[in-house]
């Protein structure tokens, strides 16, 4: 059993309390490799933001669970070396079983998500409670989910999306004891969040997505005053990256995300964790594709992964400074 406290990590409790009081959201960025971790940490150190490093079960399989844990431990030292001891959470994204959550808790994660959103309500309650009961023995915080996002949620996928039902949230939080709640108000995973027929088009022919259901968020906040709310599927799918990808051999059709103004508005509410993965994938892919096309003789990975990492860092700083409002919140 490895305690996250010995690794220099923190759980989400204090972080979320401050974020709700301060009207901002903590960035939860997914990572699978060293360049992503470096970009996340250097961006958050430079703009003085707390951060949640997220690991999906896919990331765990890709990068090796032990390596990822040491990388998170390394992230704490890396931040200190850069001169800022920012709070860092190591979080399991979309845990789909008690066993996976337990394994992460046992090896140093400070926070886990148990995603029972696709299960019948009572089964979601029972599974979430089982994870909470285990996690809380070690002061690890737990994110539950109610409502189903469109698209694929890691290994949890659903054909039919449905919004969170505000009338269920108090019962769910009370029965499970979870520390935060992911909700469904119209966000969705990936780079194609909406079908073109769900969108309108602006004068430039760019897809404009349907607005988020802030009415549902407000109702949830009324039911659970001050309780930490989480938004998944919150990439904005910057069209400049889509354009670079598509003009350098890529084929991303009808890619569309959540407008940044909507996320900024959500961050001022009880939404205190915003998950962003796809935008980072787009930034890296755009840079790598551009370098391959512009300089076909290049074969040193540092020469294309380095610029991709720089772009990623720029993107993350922008998110903290202009979208989530988390920049400048660490003294
Ligand atoms: O919500 C899912 C995250 O973007 C992680 O994706 O399962 O491909 O690592 P992944
Ligand atoms: P995006 O696909 O919108 O980046 O969402 C990421 C996410 O929710 C990770 O859990
Ligand atoms: Zn997610």
């Amino acid at each position: 059993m490895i305690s996250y406290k010995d690794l220099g990590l923190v759980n989400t409790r204090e972080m979320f309390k401050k974020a709700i009081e301060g009207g901002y959201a903590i960035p939860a960025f997914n990572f699978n490799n060293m360049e992503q971790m470096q970009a996340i940490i250097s961006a958050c150190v430079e703009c003085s933001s707390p951060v949640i490093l997220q690991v999906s079960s896919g990331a765990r399989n890709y990068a090796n669970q032990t390596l990822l844990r040491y990388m998170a431990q390394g992230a704490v030292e890396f931040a200190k070396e850069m001169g800022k001891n920012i709070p860092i959470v190591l979080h399991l994204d979309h845990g789909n079983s008690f066993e996976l959550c337990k394994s992460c808790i046992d090896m140093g994660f400070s926070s886990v998500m148990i995603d029972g959103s696709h299960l019948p309500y009572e089964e979601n309650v029972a599974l979430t409670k089982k994870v909470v009961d285990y996690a809380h023995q070690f002061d690890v915080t737990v994110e539950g989910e109610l409502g189903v996002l469109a698209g694929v949620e890691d290994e949890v996928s659903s054909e039919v999306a449905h919004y969170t039902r505000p009338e269920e949230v108090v019962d769910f939080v009370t029965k499970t004891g979870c520390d935060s709640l992911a909700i469904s108000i119209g966000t969705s995973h990936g780079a194609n969040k909406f079908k073109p027929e769900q969108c309108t088009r602006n004068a430039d022919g760019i897809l404009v997505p349907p607005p988020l259901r802030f009415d549902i968020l407000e109702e949830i906040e009324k039911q659970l005053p001050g309780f930490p709310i989480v938004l998944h599927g919150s990439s904005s799918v910057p069209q400049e990256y889509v354009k670079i990808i598509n003009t350098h051999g890529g084929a991303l059709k009808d890619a569309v995300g959540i407008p940044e103004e909507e996320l900024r508005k959500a961050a001022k509410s009880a939404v205190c964790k915003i998950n962003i993965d796809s935008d980072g994938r787009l930034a890296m892919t755009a840079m790598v594709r551009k370098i391959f096309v512009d300089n076909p003789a290049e074969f040193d990975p540092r020469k294309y992964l380095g610029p991709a990492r720089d772009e990623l860092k720029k993107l993350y700083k922008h998110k903290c400074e202009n979208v989530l409002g988390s920049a400048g919140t660490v003294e």
Side-chain angles (χ1 to χ4, degrees):
M1 176 86 203
I2 298 151
S3 168
Y4 68 86
K5 294 178 184 176
D6 295 333
L7 308 183
L9 300 161
V10 298
N11 69 21
T12 59
R13 201 166 290 125
E14 198 55 32
M15 217 182 238
F16 285 171
K17 191 169 173 284
K18 286 186 183 160
I20 294 178
E21 284 166 7
Y24 60 91
I26 311 289
F29 297 132
N30 290 70
F31 85 110
N32 304 264
N33 63 32
M34 183 187 75
E35 282 79 7
Q36 289 172 317
M37 188 276 271
Q38 289 172 317
I40 295 168
I41 297 301
S42 53
C44 291
V45 163
E46 276 183 28
C47 69
S48 297
S49 170
V51 69
I52 297 173
L53 283 172
Q54 288 199 144
V55 172
S56 68
S57 61
R60 234 175 155 234
N61 294 336
Y62 173 78
N64 178 279
Q65 52 176 349
T66 308
L67 263 181
L68 279 177
R69 194 256 297 166
Y70 277 105
M71 281 169 75
Q73 188 175 0
V76 174
E77 297 308 318
F78 181 45
K80 280 190 204 154
E81 199 179 287
M82 282 186 290
K84 197 115 205 179
N85 198 3
I86 56 169
I88 300 175
V89 168
L90 179 61
H91 175 78
L92 169 67
D93 192 24
H94 294 285
N96 60 358
S97 67
F98 171 77
E99 290 70 26
L100 174 60
C101 292
K102 179 180 182 304
S103 164
C104 287
I105 293 164
D106 291 351
M107 68 180 307
F109 281 57
S110 58
S111 173
V112 293
M113 173 190 194
I114 177 69
D115 182 355
S117 60
H118 57 293
L119 297 171
Y121 180 77
E122 289 304 337
E123 285 176 40
N124 186 4
V125 169
L127 177 60
T128 306
K129 181 173 169 15
K130 190 174 173 188
V131 172
V132 169
D133 287 346
Y134 186 76
H136 281 184
Q137 293 176 65
F138 308 100
D139 205 19
V140 168
T141 40
V142 179
E143 176 184 323
E145 180 166 342
L146 265 183
V148 179
L149 272 68
V152 177
E153 297 203 325
D154 202 2
E155 271 146 41
V156 180
S157 72
S158 178
E159 293 286 300
V160 199
H162 71 78
Y163 297 122
T164 304
R165 298 182 188 98
E167 62 274 21
E168 285 179 351
V169 297
V170 172
D171 185 68
F172 186 82
V173 165
T174 311
K175 282 187 179 154
T176 64
C178 65
D179 302 280
S180 59
L181 184 67
I183 60 165
S184 172
I185 57 166
T187 60
S188 147
H189 290 101
N192 290 76
K193 299 196 183 297
F194 304 98
K195 296 190 181 80
E197 53 271 27
Q198 293 175 284
C199 304
T200 53
R201 281 190 196 269
N202 71 13
D204 302 321
I206 304 286
L207 291 172
V208 179
L212 295 182
R213 291 289 304 270
F214 280 97
D215 57 321
I216 298 177
L217 173 59
E218 276 163 28
E219 195 46 49
I220 292 169
E221 287 187 274
K222 261 190 224 151
Q223 299 290 328
L224 290 173
F227 191 79
I229 300 298
V230 176
L231 279 191
H232 282 248
S234 296
S235 278
S236 297
V237 186
Q239 292 302 306
E240 56 272 28
Y241 292 144
V242 174
K243 197 170 166 194
I244 295 173
I245 291 169
N246 286 341
T247 52
H248 293 80
L252 289 180
K253 202 170 176 302
D254 297 327
V256 62
I258 310 297
E260 290 187 338
E261 314 81 69
E262 294 203 316
L263 298 168
R264 184 74 204 99
K265 182 174 167 191
K268 288 181 179 153
S269 72
V271 169
C272 60
K273 172 175 180 271
I274 291 190
N275 287 12
I276 298 172
D277 186 6
S278 298
D279 283 355
R281 298 179 182 197
L282 291 167
M284 287 195 95
T285 303
M287 285 310 113
V288 172
R289 277 198 176 277
K290 187 167 166 11
I291 291 163
F292 282 175
V293 169
D294 292 352
N295 194 354
E298 187 54 71
F299 71 102
D300 179 347
R302 294 170 298 184
K303 298 283 168 50
Y304 49 87
L305 292 179
R309 181 180 64 189
D310 294 344
E311 189 61 38
L312 205 46
K313 179 176 164 186
K314 202 172 99 191
L315 171 83
Y316 291 144
K317 279 179 90 170
H318 164 70
K319 297 286 181 188
C320 297
E321 286 165 354
N322 306 317
V323 186
L324 281 70
S326 61
T329 64
V330 181
E331 285 175 17

